Amino acid sequence: MRKYLYPALLLVFAGLAAAIFVFKKPEAKLPELLARHGDLAAGGEWVNTKSAIEGLQAKLRRDPRDTKSRLLLAQAFMQEGRVTGNHEYYDSAAMELLTDVLRDDPENFEALCCQASLSLTQHHFSEGLAQAEKARAINPNSGFVYGLLTDANVELGRYDEAVKNADRMNQVRPDLSAYSRVSYLREIHGDMPGAIQAMDMAAKAGYIGLEQTEWARVQLGHLYEVSGDLPQAEMCFQQALEARPGYAYALAGMGRVAAARQNYPAAIDYLKRARSMVKDYAFTDELVDVYRQAGQPAEADKMAKESVAMLKSAAEAADGAEQMGHHTDRELAYACLKTGELDKALEHAEKEYKRRPDNIDVNETMAWVHYKRGEYAEAQKYMTVARRTNSQNPVLLGRAGLILTKTGQVAAGQALLNKALQTAPYLDMDLAAEGRKMLAAR
């Protein structure tokens, strides 16, 4: 009897093995970490990042249900997207990981917050607000969730709600993120000294050299730039580069300072270096202006067309997507103005306006597109909304001054044009030239 038992057991084992092979759910493939290049690959940060991500991936291969490691990996990919500018890849990878977590635990607070943050990064602001509100209902004592609510409400033009949430964030946990949000709200409400003070606190609250800290320092530099203090702006950008060599946003800041001083070769070099480091449309857009100022129209046209192509690809991917796919219609509107496609500019501006009609930046975009089309009454309608928070941004004031002058409100228009030109005419050289011409004609 025994001699028949072993073959029978072997057959049973083989059958079980075959069943496991056939019916076992295939192990989900974890998203990979892409290689960094240039200065981004230099130093210990990249070594530590690779080690941490590889460690998390190893844990998940051993235990695919390790929720904590899955969350940490999603957060690591979100940060890598921020550092490299490759949001298309890393945000999608992070969202995939978060979706897995929320499938098993729909009320996981950290996953909901990360999901909301990704939606906001991708400019899906209504979705991000809904996710953040769901997270707040689960944990109303988290400073991070109030930061998300601040951002979402700002982007949707609900500024009173944004202020309430920023205040609550600072009560719960005053830190770099909280101070930077206060700074932005002060800036758009016309309190530039207060904005500078808060952003200075943000930069001092972070660890020197970390991306978030140097981002805050670059934002501080930009506030000085907008205020007309180029030496202070340059100092901030230089400090950021000393703490984080090759930091793309600090390089771009140095490029703007060089352009303001009409040192166009240096400005082009800085912006090209920034563009080679991080995938961000803004650097290409800034190069368009600098090439034009430098008397290189062919290069300017080339960059302008490239800007439109980059943004159009992102916008098409976002259409119909609930959470992912970067909505770029506002940026596309400005890019199309630079290529002379006025109808396309209006089309994209209107698409963004339908998403968030109360946002002051979107209304400024609508106003400027209509101005460029010679539709001055329409431009004034949107500019009135754009100025409702009393922002003192010189570009906004200059555009408002041109529009007021064209609609017959000459004294008010000239006052705004003079203020813009006295503060920071270098922020938009074409705008400044048009403003001077209009003032001279009066």
Side-chain angles (χ1 to χ4, degrees):
M1 179 72 180
R2 185 175 295 173
K3 67 178 180 180
Y4 298 111
L5 180 61
Y6 291 120
L9 288 174
L10 286 171
L11 285 171
V12 171
F13 177 78
L16 287 171
I20 290 171
F21 179 79
V22 171
F23 296 107
K24 179 184 177 183
K25 183 179 179 181
E27 183 178 328
K29 185 178 179 182
L30 294 171
E32 295 297 323
L33 175 66
L34 304 180
R36 291 189 192 177
H37 302 285
D39 287 344
L40 288 179
E45 182 189 88
W46 176 229
V47 174
N48 293 336
T49 296
K50 284 195 295 184
S51 176
I53 288 178
E54 287 168 1
L56 291 169
Q57 289 172 327
K59 284 184 178 181
L60 285 167
R61 290 188 187 100
R62 290 194 299 269
D63 180 10
R65 297 183 67 82
D66 183 349
T67 298
K68 182 177 180 181
S69 293
R70 196 169 290 274
L71 273 170
L72 289 172
L73 184 58
Q75 291 166 359
F77 280 142
M78 290 167 66
Q79 179 61 21
E80 194 65 11
R82 180 181 169 102
V83 169
T84 64
N86 191 352
H87 288 284
E88 183 179 0
Y89 174 80
Y90 283 115
D91 287 2
S92 295
M95 187 65 84
E96 180 183 327
L97 292 162
L98 295 171
T99 300
D100 289 341
V101 172
L102 290 167
R103 186 181 298 116
D104 295 332
D105 182 6
E107 295 197 347
N108 187 294
F109 173 75
E110 289 185 44
L112 284 169
C113 285
C114 289
Q115 190 181 58
S117 180
L118 283 173
S119 292
L120 295 176
T121 298
Q122 296 286 319
H123 291 191
H124 292 253
F125 301 118
S126 296
E127 293 83 356
L129 177 62
Q131 291 152 355
E133 287 177 337
K134 184 176 180 180
R136 176 175 56 180
I138 295 168
N139 180 5
N141 298 311
S142 163
F144 184 69
V145 77
Y146 288 104
L148 295 171
L149 289 166
T150 300
D151 295 343
N153 279 294
V154 162
E155 297 297 347
L156 293 170
R158 303 168 185 173
Y159 300 107
D160 290 342
E161 282 299 312
V163 170
K164 290 177 186 176
N165 282 288
D167 287 345
R168 180 62 177 148
M169 185 182 189
N170 277 272
Q171 291 168 7
V172 174
R173 186 175 180 177
D175 60 6
L176 183 154
S177 296
Y179 297 142
S180 63
R181 286 173 169 92
V182 168
S183 175
Y184 181 68
L185 286 167
R186 287 178 177 177
E187 179 189 358
I188 65 173
H189 283 91
D191 180 9
M192 194 59 73
I196 289 172
Q197 178 193 42
M199 194 60 77
D200 183 56
M201 292 171 65
K204 289 175 179 174
Y207 290 100
I208 293 175
L210 286 183
E211 193 276 335
Q212 292 91 333
T213 306
E214 302 319 317
W215 175 88
R217 204 180 314 280
V218 167
Q219 297 310 306
L220 177 60
H222 182 61
L223 289 172
Y224 281 120
E225 186 184 354
V226 170
S227 301
D229 192 340
L230 278 179
Q232 278 294 119
E234 183 178 29
M235 185 183 300
C236 290
F237 300 142
Q238 287 175 336
Q239 288 174 345
L241 285 170
E242 288 170 8
R244 192 175 179 84
Y247 188 43
Y249 296 99
L251 288 170
M254 291 295 292
R256 292 194 300 274
V257 170
R261 293 172 175 159
Q262 299 183 19
N263 184 353
Y264 299 123
I268 290 167
D269 181 62
Y270 277 123
L271 287 166
K272 287 173 73 174
R273 285 169 59 193
R275 190 168 176 261
S276 71
M277 295 288 295
V278 169
K279 185 181 178 182
D280 192 321
Y281 138 83
F283 305 143
T284 305
D285 181 64
E286 289 177 331
L287 272 169
V288 175
D289 297 332
V290 176
Y291 276 127
R292 287 218 172 107
Q293 293 158 24
Q296 300 182 47
E299 284 297 320
D301 290 344
K302 177 183 173 183
M303 288 292 105
K305 290 175 183 176
E306 190 170 324
S307 290
V308 170
M310 289 171 64
L311 292 166
K312 186 178 179 182
S313 175
E316 288 174 349
D319 285 344
E322 184 178 347
Q323 293 172 331
M324 301 304 293
H326 196 163
H327 286 308
T328 59
D329 287 293
R330 177 171 171 263
E331 294 85 353
L332 253 174
Y334 284 117
C336 288
L337 287 180
K338 292 183 181 182
T339 58
E341 300 172 275
L342 300 186
D343 290 343
K344 283 287 184 183
L346 182 59
E347 176 187 330
H348 288 293
E350 287 177 337
K351 283 182 72 173
E352 192 63 39
Y353 182 79
K354 288 177 182 176
R355 292 189 192 106
R356 43 194 188 125
D358 297 322
N359 179 275
I360 57 173
D361 295 326
V362 175
N363 276 276
E364 180 183 0
T365 304
M366 287 289 290
W368 195 236
V369 170
H370 280 294
Y371 175 82
K372 287 294 188 179
R373 291 167 60 88
E375 298 157 356
Y376 304 125
E378 278 294 293
Q380 178 55 30
K381 180 178 75 173
Y382 291 107
M383 184 55 77
T384 299
V385 180
R387 296 188 61 210
R388 70 187 175 96
T389 62
N390 195 38
S391 171
Q392 297 301 299
N393 183 286
V395 173
L396 173 67
L397 296 183
R399 289 172 174 171
L402 290 174
I403 292 168
L404 283 170
T405 304
K406 286 289 189 180
T407 55
Q409 301 176 69
V410 178
Q414 287 186 334
L416 291 179
L417 285 171
N418 278 315
K419 186 171 184 179
L421 291 172
Q422 289 168 10
T423 304
Y426 47 78
L427 290 176
D428 187 328
M429 296 292 196
D430 291 339
L431 174 64
E434 188 173 356
R436 291 190 184 98
K437 183 178 179 180
M438 190 171 286
L439 286 170
R442 298 288 170 177

